[in-house]
Amino acid sequence: FSEFVMANNSVRLLHVVPKSFLSEQHRYLGSTKDIAGRVQYFQDRDLRSDLLAHDKTAETILSVLGSVNLSAYTHVLVEKANYKTVFRYLRREAPGAKIIFRAHNAETLHRVDYVRACLAPPRTRSVAEVVQNISNVLRYGGRDLSVVWHTDHVLSISQWDTEHYWRYLAPKTRTTTAPFFLPRRYVRETQTGLRKKQLGVVIGSSQPGPLIEDGVNRFFGLLRRTEAELYENAGWRFVVSGARTKRMPNAADFKALRIQRRNVETPYELFGPARATLIASDFGYGFKTKILEAIACEAFVICTAGLYRRLPQELLPYCIRFDPRSPETFLDALNQTENDFPPDNPNDLLQASAYREMDRLFGVS
Protein backbone atom coordinates (compact mmCIF):
# COMPACT_ATOMS: atom_id res chain seq x y z
CA PHE A 1 0.00 0.00 0.00
CA SER A 2 2.80 2.46 0.87
CA GLU A 3 4.48 1.83 -2.51
CA PHE A 4 1.19 2.53 -4.26
CA VAL A 5 0.78 5.84 -2.41
CA MET A 6 4.38 6.85 -3.15
CA ALA A 7 3.87 6.14 -6.84
CA ASN A 8 0.73 8.26 -6.84
CA ASN A 9 2.48 11.12 -5.05
CA SER A 10 5.19 11.18 -7.69
CA VAL A 11 2.67 11.92 -10.45
CA ARG A 12 1.71 15.51 -11.22
CA LEU A 13 -0.65 15.64 -14.18
CA LEU A 14 -1.90 18.45 -16.40
CA HIS A 15 -5.18 17.44 -18.05
CA VAL A 16 -5.89 19.58 -21.13
CA VAL A 17 -9.61 19.41 -22.04
CA PRO A 18 -12.10 21.32 -24.22
CA LYS A 19 -14.30 23.89 -22.50
CA SER A 20 -17.35 21.87 -23.50
CA PHE A 21 -16.37 19.36 -20.80
CA LEU A 22 -17.07 21.97 -18.13
CA SER A 23 -20.47 22.96 -19.58
CA GLU A 24 -23.67 21.37 -18.26
CA GLN A 25 -25.16 22.02 -21.69
CA HIS A 26 -22.74 19.46 -23.15
CA ARG A 27 -23.10 16.91 -20.34
CA TYR A 28 -24.24 14.15 -22.71
CA LEU A 29 -21.66 14.69 -25.44
CA GLY A 30 -19.66 11.53 -26.09
CA SER A 31 -16.38 13.36 -25.50
CA THR A 32 -17.64 14.77 -22.19
CA LYS A 33 -18.54 11.31 -20.91
CA ASP A 34 -15.22 9.89 -22.04
CA ILE A 35 -13.17 12.65 -20.39
CA ALA A 36 -15.22 12.22 -17.21
CA GLY A 37 -13.98 8.63 -17.09
CA ARG A 38 -10.39 9.82 -16.83
CA VAL A 39 -11.27 12.42 -14.21
CA GLN A 40 -12.95 9.65 -12.19
CA TYR A 41 -9.84 7.48 -12.54
CA PHE A 42 -7.53 10.27 -11.31
CA GLN A 43 -9.79 10.76 -8.28
CA ASP A 44 -10.02 7.03 -7.55
CA ARG A 45 -6.24 6.68 -7.72
CA ASP A 46 -5.66 9.91 -5.76
CA LEU A 47 -3.50 11.36 -8.53
CA ARG A 48 -2.70 15.05 -8.42
CA SER A 49 -4.19 16.55 -11.57
CA ASP A 50 -5.07 20.01 -12.81
CA LEU A 51 -7.67 20.74 -15.50
CA LEU A 52 -6.86 23.27 -18.18
CA ALA A 53 -9.73 24.12 -20.54
CA HIS A 54 -9.43 25.39 -24.12
CA ASP A 55 -11.57 26.35 -27.13
CA LYS A 56 -10.18 23.61 -29.42
CA THR A 57 -8.09 26.02 -31.49
CA ALA A 58 -4.29 25.99 -31.49
CA GLU A 59 -4.19 29.68 -30.54
CA THR A 60 -6.37 29.36 -27.44
CA ILE A 61 -4.58 26.20 -26.31
CA LEU A 62 -1.18 27.87 -26.55
CA SER A 63 -2.59 30.87 -24.68
CA VAL A 64 -3.86 28.83 -21.72
CA LEU A 65 -0.71 26.70 -21.64
CA GLY A 66 1.30 29.89 -21.34
CA SER A 67 -0.51 30.67 -18.07
CA VAL A 68 0.89 27.66 -16.17
CA ASN A 69 4.31 26.42 -15.11
CA LEU A 70 4.60 23.35 -17.33
CA SER A 71 7.90 22.26 -15.81
CA ALA A 72 6.01 21.30 -12.64
CA TYR A 73 4.25 18.38 -14.34
CA THR A 74 5.38 14.80 -14.85
CA HIS A 75 2.59 14.05 -17.35
CA VAL A 76 0.47 16.08 -19.76
CA LEU A 77 -2.70 14.46 -21.10
CA VAL A 78 -4.15 16.26 -24.13
CA GLU A 79 -7.79 15.80 -25.20
CA LYS A 80 -9.36 17.09 -28.44
CA ALA A 81 -6.34 19.19 -29.42
CA ASN A 82 -3.98 17.32 -31.74
CA TYR A 83 -2.07 20.28 -33.15
CA LYS A 84 1.61 20.07 -34.06
CA THR A 85 2.31 23.55 -32.64
CA VAL A 86 0.79 22.56 -29.30
CA PHE A 87 2.85 19.38 -29.01
CA ARG A 88 6.05 21.20 -29.98
CA TYR A 89 5.35 23.85 -27.34
CA LEU A 90 4.78 21.19 -24.69
CA ARG A 91 7.97 19.38 -25.68
CA ARG A 92 9.95 22.61 -25.37
CA GLU A 93 8.41 23.92 -22.14
CA ALA A 94 7.98 20.58 -20.34
CA PRO A 95 10.94 18.50 -21.56
CA GLY A 96 10.74 16.11 -18.60
CA ALA A 97 7.01 15.38 -18.92
CA LYS A 98 5.42 12.41 -20.66
CA ILE A 99 3.05 13.80 -23.30
CA ILE A 100 -0.04 11.65 -23.83
CA PHE A 101 -2.81 12.09 -26.37
CA ARG A 102 -6.29 10.61 -25.93
CA ALA A 103 -7.48 9.42 -29.33
CA HIS A 104 -11.28 9.68 -29.46
CA ASN A 105 -11.38 8.57 -33.13
CA ALA A 106 -9.33 7.07 -35.92
CA GLU A 107 -9.71 10.42 -37.64
CA THR A 108 -8.56 9.52 -41.15
CA LEU A 109 -11.03 6.62 -41.38
CA HIS A 110 -13.70 8.64 -39.58
CA ARG A 111 -13.43 11.50 -42.08
CA VAL A 112 -13.49 9.11 -45.04
CA ASP A 113 -16.84 7.92 -43.68
CA TYR A 114 -18.03 11.54 -43.64
CA VAL A 115 -17.32 11.65 -47.38
CA ARG A 116 -19.08 8.32 -47.95
CA ALA A 117 -22.10 9.57 -45.99
CA CYS A 118 -22.15 12.78 -48.05
CA LEU A 119 -22.30 10.70 -51.23
CA ALA A 120 -25.00 8.36 -49.93
CA PRO A 121 -28.67 8.92 -50.88
CA PRO A 122 -30.36 11.39 -51.04
CA ARG A 123 -27.14 12.99 -52.44
CA THR A 124 -28.34 16.56 -51.98
CA ARG A 125 -25.06 18.08 -50.83
CA SER A 126 -23.30 20.71 -52.88
CA VAL A 127 -20.01 20.01 -54.63
CA ALA A 128 -18.35 22.52 -52.29
CA GLU A 129 -19.55 20.61 -49.23
CA VAL A 130 -18.32 17.30 -50.60
CA VAL A 131 -14.95 18.86 -51.47
CA GLN A 132 -14.72 20.30 -47.94
CA ASN A 133 -15.27 16.86 -46.43
CA ILE A 134 -12.67 15.35 -48.75
CA SER A 135 -10.15 17.99 -47.66
CA ASN A 136 -10.98 17.16 -44.03
CA VAL A 137 -9.63 13.64 -44.58
CA LEU A 138 -6.17 15.13 -45.18
CA ARG A 139 -6.61 17.82 -42.53
CA TYR A 140 -7.63 15.54 -39.68
CA GLY A 141 -5.43 12.69 -40.85
CA GLY A 142 -2.46 15.06 -40.80
CA ARG A 143 -3.27 15.93 -37.21
CA ASP A 144 -3.15 12.25 -36.26
CA LEU A 145 0.28 12.04 -37.87
CA SER A 146 1.38 14.99 -35.72
CA VAL A 147 0.28 12.97 -32.68
CA VAL A 148 2.56 10.10 -33.70
CA TRP A 149 5.54 12.36 -34.37
CA HIS A 150 5.33 14.60 -31.32
CA THR A 151 3.86 12.68 -28.36
CA ASP A 152 5.15 9.91 -26.10
CA HIS A 153 1.97 7.85 -25.98
CA VAL A 154 -1.39 7.41 -27.69
CA LEU A 155 -4.26 6.31 -25.44
CA SER A 156 -6.75 4.78 -27.87
CA ILE A 157 -10.48 4.57 -27.15
CA SER A 158 -11.05 1.13 -28.71
CA GLN A 159 -9.07 -2.02 -29.41
CA TRP A 160 -10.18 -2.01 -33.04
CA ASP A 161 -8.76 1.51 -33.55
CA THR A 162 -5.54 0.44 -31.84
CA GLU A 163 -5.01 -2.68 -33.95
CA HIS A 164 -6.24 -1.43 -37.33
CA TYR A 165 -5.22 2.22 -37.27
CA TRP A 166 -2.83 3.50 -34.61
CA ARG A 167 -0.40 0.58 -34.84
CA TYR A 168 0.06 1.37 -38.52
CA LEU A 169 0.94 4.97 -37.61
CA ALA A 170 2.86 4.49 -34.36
CA PRO A 171 5.14 1.81 -32.90
CA LYS A 172 3.15 -0.79 -31.03
CA THR A 173 4.71 0.07 -27.67
CA ARG A 174 3.48 3.68 -27.89
CA THR A 175 -0.23 2.89 -28.24
CA THR A 176 -2.47 1.22 -25.68
CA THR A 177 -6.23 0.89 -25.38
CA ALA A 178 -8.16 2.41 -22.49
CA PRO A 179 -11.70 1.60 -23.63
CA PHE A 180 -14.57 3.98 -23.08
CA PHE A 181 -16.64 3.21 -20.00
CA LEU A 182 -19.59 5.02 -18.51
CA PRO A 183 -18.53 6.96 -15.37
CA ARG A 184 -20.46 6.53 -12.13
CA ARG A 185 -22.24 9.86 -12.39
CA TYR A 186 -23.94 8.63 -15.58
CA VAL A 187 -24.47 5.03 -14.46
CA ARG A 188 -26.74 6.32 -11.70
CA GLU A 189 -28.94 7.98 -14.32
CA THR A 190 -29.34 4.77 -16.33
CA GLN A 191 -31.11 3.06 -13.44
CA THR A 192 -34.55 4.31 -14.45
CA GLY A 193 -36.61 1.39 -13.15
CA LEU A 194 -38.97 1.76 -16.14
CA ARG A 195 -40.87 -1.25 -17.45
CA LYS A 196 -39.62 -2.51 -20.81
CA LYS A 197 -41.84 -2.11 -23.88
CA GLN A 198 -41.59 -3.27 -27.48
CA LEU A 199 -39.99 0.03 -28.33
CA GLY A 200 -37.09 0.55 -30.74
CA VAL A 201 -35.08 3.77 -30.47
CA VAL A 202 -32.94 5.50 -33.10
CA ILE A 203 -30.76 8.07 -31.34
CA GLY A 204 -30.12 11.24 -33.34
CA SER A 205 -28.45 14.48 -32.37
CA SER A 206 -29.31 18.08 -31.58
CA GLN A 207 -26.91 19.00 -34.39
CA PRO A 208 -26.98 16.06 -36.82
CA GLY A 209 -24.20 15.73 -39.37
CA PRO A 210 -23.72 13.32 -42.28
CA LEU A 211 -23.16 10.24 -40.08
CA ILE A 212 -26.35 10.74 -38.05
CA GLU A 213 -28.31 11.57 -41.20
CA ASP A 214 -27.11 8.37 -42.85
CA GLY A 215 -28.24 6.24 -39.90
CA VAL A 216 -31.70 7.81 -39.80
CA ASN A 217 -32.13 7.59 -43.58
CA ARG A 218 -31.10 3.93 -43.71
CA PHE A 219 -33.53 3.07 -40.91
CA PHE A 220 -36.32 4.96 -42.66
CA GLY A 221 -35.54 3.20 -45.94
CA LEU A 222 -35.71 -0.16 -44.18
CA LEU A 223 -39.19 0.54 -42.80
CA ARG A 224 -40.38 1.98 -46.10
CA ARG A 225 -39.56 -1.32 -47.84
CA THR A 226 -41.84 -3.10 -45.38
CA GLU A 227 -45.47 -2.63 -44.46
CA ALA A 228 -45.64 -0.67 -41.19
CA GLU A 229 -48.49 -2.94 -40.09
CA LEU A 230 -46.06 -5.85 -40.00
CA TYR A 231 -44.21 -4.30 -37.04
CA GLU A 232 -47.35 -2.92 -35.44
CA ASN A 233 -49.02 -6.32 -35.50
CA ALA A 234 -45.98 -7.70 -33.68
CA GLY A 235 -46.44 -4.97 -31.06
CA TRP A 236 -43.44 -2.80 -32.03
CA ARG A 237 -43.25 0.96 -32.32
CA PHE A 238 -40.27 3.17 -33.14
CA VAL A 239 -38.95 6.52 -31.97
CA VAL A 240 -36.32 8.75 -33.59
CA SER A 241 -34.76 11.42 -31.37
CA GLY A 242 -32.91 14.62 -32.20
CA ALA A 243 -33.29 17.40 -34.71
CA ARG A 244 -34.37 16.81 -38.32
CA THR A 245 -32.43 18.20 -41.28
CA LYS A 246 -33.54 18.75 -44.86
CA ARG A 247 -31.67 15.58 -45.81
CA MET A 248 -33.86 13.42 -43.58
CA PRO A 249 -37.45 12.36 -44.26
CA ASN A 250 -39.96 15.10 -43.49
CA ALA A 251 -42.58 15.02 -40.76
CA ALA A 252 -45.26 13.63 -43.09
CA ASP A 253 -42.94 10.81 -44.17
CA PHE A 254 -42.27 9.80 -40.57
CA LYS A 255 -45.97 10.00 -39.72
CA ALA A 256 -46.90 7.81 -42.69
CA LEU A 257 -44.69 5.04 -41.30
CA ARG A 258 -45.96 5.71 -37.75
CA ILE A 259 -42.47 6.66 -36.56
CA GLN A 260 -42.61 9.00 -33.60
CA ARG A 261 -40.11 11.84 -33.19
CA ARG A 262 -39.09 12.91 -29.69
CA ASN A 263 -36.60 15.31 -28.19
CA VAL A 264 -35.51 14.40 -24.66
CA GLU A 265 -33.32 15.91 -21.96
CA THR A 266 -31.26 12.74 -21.56
CA PRO A 267 -30.89 9.62 -23.73
CA TYR A 268 -31.87 7.50 -20.74
CA GLU A 269 -35.46 8.73 -21.02
CA LEU A 270 -35.68 6.74 -24.25
CA PHE A 271 -33.38 3.84 -23.40
CA GLY A 272 -35.17 3.20 -20.10
CA PRO A 273 -38.42 1.77 -21.52
CA ALA A 274 -36.89 0.57 -24.82
CA ARG A 275 -36.20 -3.06 -25.60
CA ALA A 276 -33.79 -2.13 -28.40
CA THR A 277 -31.77 0.69 -29.89
CA LEU A 278 -31.16 0.61 -33.64
CA ILE A 279 -28.02 1.60 -35.56
CA ALA A 280 -28.52 1.20 -39.30
CA SER A 281 -25.26 2.74 -40.52
CA ASP A 282 -21.74 1.31 -40.63
CA PHE A 283 -20.18 4.76 -40.72
CA GLY A 284 -18.09 6.25 -37.93
CA TYR A 285 -15.13 5.07 -35.85
CA GLY A 286 -14.00 5.48 -32.25
CA PHE A 287 -16.57 4.27 -29.72
CA LYS A 288 -20.29 5.00 -30.11
CA THR A 289 -21.03 5.86 -26.49
CA LYS A 290 -24.78 5.42 -26.94
CA ILE A 291 -24.22 1.68 -27.42
CA LEU A 292 -22.88 1.25 -23.91
CA GLU A 293 -25.53 3.59 -22.49
CA ALA A 294 -28.30 1.56 -24.10
CA ILE A 295 -26.82 -1.64 -22.67
CA ALA A 296 -26.54 -0.01 -19.23
CA CYS A 297 -30.30 0.63 -19.51
CA GLU A 298 -30.80 -3.06 -20.47
CA ALA A 299 -31.71 -2.33 -24.09
CA PHE A 300 -30.33 -4.62 -26.78
CA VAL A 301 -28.38 -3.00 -29.61
CA ILE A 302 -29.40 -3.95 -33.16
CA CYS A 303 -26.55 -2.91 -35.45
CA THR A 304 -24.89 -3.56 -38.80
CA ALA A 305 -22.33 -6.32 -39.26
CA GLY A 306 -19.57 -3.80 -39.99
CA LEU A 307 -20.11 -1.98 -36.72
CA TYR A 308 -20.48 -5.27 -34.83
CA ARG A 309 -16.98 -6.32 -35.96
CA ARG A 310 -15.44 -3.17 -34.44
CA LEU A 311 -17.13 -3.44 -31.04
CA PRO A 312 -15.32 -4.48 -27.85
CA GLN A 313 -15.75 -8.16 -27.02
CA GLU A 314 -17.43 -7.23 -23.74
CA LEU A 315 -20.42 -5.75 -25.62
CA LEU A 316 -21.08 -8.50 -28.16
CA PRO A 317 -23.54 -10.56 -26.02
CA TYR A 318 -25.85 -7.52 -25.97
CA CYS A 319 -25.66 -6.73 -29.69
CA ILE A 320 -27.58 -8.31 -32.57
CA ARG A 321 -26.43 -8.06 -36.18
CA PHE A 322 -28.80 -7.24 -39.03
CA ASP A 323 -28.67 -6.11 -42.65
CA PRO A 324 -30.39 -2.71 -43.12
CA ARG A 325 -31.25 -3.77 -46.69
CA SER A 326 -33.17 -6.80 -45.44
CA PRO A 327 -36.45 -6.43 -43.52
CA GLU A 328 -36.28 -10.17 -42.76
CA THR A 329 -33.05 -9.84 -40.78
CA PHE A 330 -34.50 -6.82 -38.97
CA LEU A 331 -37.61 -8.72 -37.90
CA ASP A 332 -35.44 -11.61 -36.76
CA ALA A 333 -33.28 -9.21 -34.71
CA LEU A 334 -36.38 -7.69 -33.09
CA ASN A 335 -37.58 -11.17 -32.17
CA GLN A 336 -34.23 -11.95 -30.53
CA THR A 337 -34.72 -9.06 -28.10
CA GLU A 338 -37.46 -11.15 -26.49
CA ASN A 339 -34.68 -13.29 -24.99
CA ASP A 340 -33.51 -12.65 -21.44
CA PHE A 341 -31.03 -9.81 -21.13
CA PRO A 342 -27.55 -11.18 -20.27
CA PRO A 343 -26.83 -10.78 -16.54
CA ASP A 344 -23.21 -9.53 -16.57
CA ASN A 345 -22.07 -5.90 -16.31
CA PRO A 346 -19.93 -5.00 -19.34
CA ASN A 347 -19.36 -1.46 -18.08
CA ASP A 348 -17.53 -2.80 -15.03
CA LEU A 349 -15.35 -4.95 -17.31
CA LEU A 350 -14.51 -2.01 -19.58
CA GLN A 351 -13.73 0.24 -16.62
CA ALA A 352 -11.42 -2.38 -15.11
CA SER A 353 -9.62 -2.73 -18.44
CA ALA A 354 -9.22 1.05 -18.80
CA TYR A 355 -7.95 1.36 -15.21
CA ARG A 356 -5.36 -1.39 -15.75
CA GLU A 357 -3.96 0.36 -18.83
CA MET A 358 -3.86 3.75 -17.14
CA ASP A 359 -2.22 2.24 -14.07
CA ARG A 360 0.58 1.00 -16.31
CA LEU A 361 0.82 4.27 -18.21
CA PHE A 362 1.04 6.43 -15.09
CA GLY A 363 3.17 3.95 -13.17
CA VAL A 364 0.81 3.51 -10.24
CA SER A 365 0.29 -0.27 -10.30
Side-chain angles (χ1 to χ4, degrees):
F1 177 77
S2 61
E3 290 180 1
F4 187 80
V5 172
M6 287 177 63
N8 289 6
N9 288 339
S10 69
V11 173
R12 179 78 186 277
L13 173 81
L14 180 64
H15 194 185
V16 183
V17 304
K19 283 185 177 178
S20 57
F21 173 70
L22 303 176
S23 168
E24 190 63 25
Q25 177 185 352
H26 299 294
R27 177 182 178 86
Y28 297 102
L29 274 181
S31 59
T32 298
K33 288 173 284 193
D34 186 49
I35 294 168
R38 260 145 346 263
V39 171
Q40 175 183 296
Y41 165 79
F42 299 145
Q43 292 170 345
D44 286 352
R45 292 295 191 256
D46 199 25
L47 295 178
R48 292 184 298 167
S49 63
D50 298 320
L51 275 178
L52 193 65
H54 60 80
D55 282 330
K56 294 198 287 189
T57 66
E59 293 75 20
T60 60
I61 299 164
L62 291 171
S63 175
V64 295
L65 286 174
S67 67
V68 298
N69 176 18
L70 292 173
S71 64
Y73 295 98
T74 60
H75 299 75
V76 180
L77 174 58
V78 179
E79 314 247 13
K80 309 292 284 185
N82 51 343
Y83 297 102
K84 175 173 62 177
T85 54
V86 170
F87 296 137
R88 283 181 172 174
Y89 181 84
L90 287 170
R91 184 65 72 201
R92 184 175 68 249
E93 299 298 322
K98 177 179 284 190
I99 301 172
I100 306 160
F101 178 71
R102 171 55 161 185
H104 291 244
N105 277 314
E107 283 292 354
T108 308
L109 302 176
H110 195 62
R111 296 295 161 174
V112 167
D113 272 2
Y114 266 76
V115 176
R116 295 171 64 197
C118 284
L119 297 175
R123 298 188 182 89
T124 56
R125 296 180 190 275
S126 67
V127 172
E129 192 170 357
V130 174
V131 169
Q132 178 61 55
N133 277 280
I134 292 172
S135 69
N136 282 345
V137 175
L138 299 176
R139 179 184 174 200
Y140 287 90
R143 289 184 186 175
D144 276 353
L145 284 175
S146 75
V147 169
V148 173
W149 291 333
H150 297 287
T151 67
D152 295 305
H153 205 93
V154 177
L155 196 61
S156 173
I157 197 171
S158 79
Q159 190 63 29
W160 193 97
D161 283 10
T162 300
E163 293 178 356
H164 296 89
Y165 182 71
W166 288 106
R167 284 182 182 167
Y168 287 99
L169 299 182
K172 184 176 179 180
T173 54
R174 293 183 56 213
T175 303
T176 53
T177 305
F180 170 79
F181 62 89
L182 200 60
R184 286 188 293 269
R185 74 183 199 183
Y186 295 98
V187 171
R188 287 190 288 267
E189 295 184 48
T190 68
Q191 298 161 358
T192 63
L194 296 173
R195 184 174 61 86
K196 289 295 179 182
K197 305 173 183 177
Q198 284 180 291
L199 173 67
V201 175
V202 178
I203 294 294
S205 169
S206 59
Q207 296 177 313
L211 304 186
I212 293 292
E213 289 172 344
D214 184 71
V216 171
N217 289 337
R218 289 181 187 273
F219 170 69
F220 181 83
L222 173 68
L223 258 63
R224 189 171 53 189
R225 288 191 294 273
T226 318
E227 293 297 329
E229 287 80 4
L230 184 64
Y231 304 106
E232 285 190 344
N233 291 341
W236 283 92
R237 62 187 181 89
F238 303 104
V239 173
V240 175
S241 73
R244 191 191 73 81
T245 73
K246 63 182 181 181
R247 297 181 182 89
M248 296 179 187
N250 60 37
D253 292 332
F254 277 110
K255 187 175 181 181
L257 290 182
R258 300 175 177 86
I259 302 172
Q260 183 183 358
R261 295 195 61 82
R262 279 191 61 192
N263 291 316
V264 292
E265 290 294 322
T266 80
Y268 314 124
E269 291 180 45
L270 291 178
F271 290 145
R275 193 177 293 278
T277 187
L278 317 167
I279 303 175
S281 176
D282 268 345
F283 296 155
Y285 287 80
F287 192 118
K288 295 182 187 299
T289 59
K290 296 295 188 296
I291 292 176
L292 184 54
E293 291 177 294
I295 293 170
C297 292
E298 297 191 358
F300 285 95
V301 177
I302 298 175
C303 65
T304 63
L307 176 57
Y308 185 92
R309 284 193 296 270
R310 300 196 297 270
L311 292 174
Q313 291 292 316
E314 293 88 346
L315 302 187
L316 298 186
Y318 311 86
C319 299
I320 304 167
R321 285 166 287 188
F322 85 114
D323 182 348
R325 298 165 298 182
S326 167
E328 293 77 18
T329 65
F330 184 47
L331 281 169
D332 180 62
L334 290 173
N335 290 334
Q336 289 184 55
T337 67
E338 301 290 339
N339 298 330
D340 290 338
F341 201 78
D344 295 332
N345 189 329
N347 192 60
D348 286 351
L349 299 175
L350 291 168
Q351 177 177 312
S353 177
Y355 273 39
R356 283 194 300 271
E357 291 303 326
M358 289 189 286
D359 281 347
R360 282 193 278 267
L361 180 57
F362 294 104
V364 296
S365 59

